[in-house]
Amino acid sequence: MKLKVLGTGNAFNQQSRMNSSYLLEVGDKNVLIDCGFTVPLALQKENISFSTLDYILITHYHGDHFAGLSVLLLALKYITPQEKKLTIIGPGSIMTKVKELQKVLYSGTEKLLDELNLEFVSVNQNGGEYDLDDFKLSVLPMVHSEDAIPVSYIIQNQSYKLGFSGDTCWHEGVEKLIQKSDTVILECNFIERIGEGHISVEELEASQVVQSNKSDIYLTHLYEGSSEKALKLNYNVLEDGEDLVF
């Protein structure tokens, strides 16, 4: 599997980082994980046509992970017409969430969704296993803003399992995600624990599971403080535009 890092930033784009998002090549399929405000721009900067996407996976319904989907869908109608079906996957009622987003951001374009070649796949926010046509997908519940319905994903191609945490605070489910994956793209927004919204470097340092799997963990959703601290402690810190092969 090949991974293009489209963005590694938080909601505020600190350090001029794009919103956290990744384009994964699974065989001959292109899988986009999360689609925040800056993702349409990031795709175009990488000369990646929207029409080449086969799947979009949404980890939760916050703007920096979801809001860019609205303009991307508009572009599939007016800028880069669809060449194939696009499957959009998310927790809860993903189709309802997308329609609500379209209505809020581009009122009057909701009917566009019926004109595009789309398939919506809702996954259980409490977790589950899904055998899709092109890969296997595991869903684990995460702990973030409850209304955003946060989940993590593990994408399995043949025997290799690549995990994506989405946004989450530190809890035992994070260690479960790490243990179930060969490699994990893990959020790390803070240096020290602050509230319950995100993971900190301090919490990573305290976890034996993290320390035992440190070389297989790549940190994202960063700002200058967390990225600098993590680098000093020899964590893998992702940068926008980076390419990885698994």
Side-chain angles (χ1 to χ4, degrees), residues 116-149:
L116 295 173
N117 185 7
L118 304 175
E119 180 182 3
F120 293 95
V121 176
S122 293
V123 297
N124 193 322
Q125 66 193 79
N126 296 314
E129 304 289 330
Y130 299 84
D131 197 355
L132 303 176
D133 291 340
D134 300 294
F135 54 88
K136 293 181 178 180
L137 183 69
S138 299
V139 179
L140 286 76
M142 291 288 108
V143 179
H144 188 49
S145 169
E146 185 176 351
D147 291 343
I149 319 179

Side-chain angles (χ1 to χ4, degrees), residues 7 9-10 15 47 63-64 80 85 98 103 113 190 224 236:
N10 56 26
Q15 277 186 304
N47 294 314
D64 57 317
T80 56
K85 180 180 73 175
V98 173
K103 184 175 182 179
L113 300 179
F190 297 128
E224 57 267 26
N236 299 313

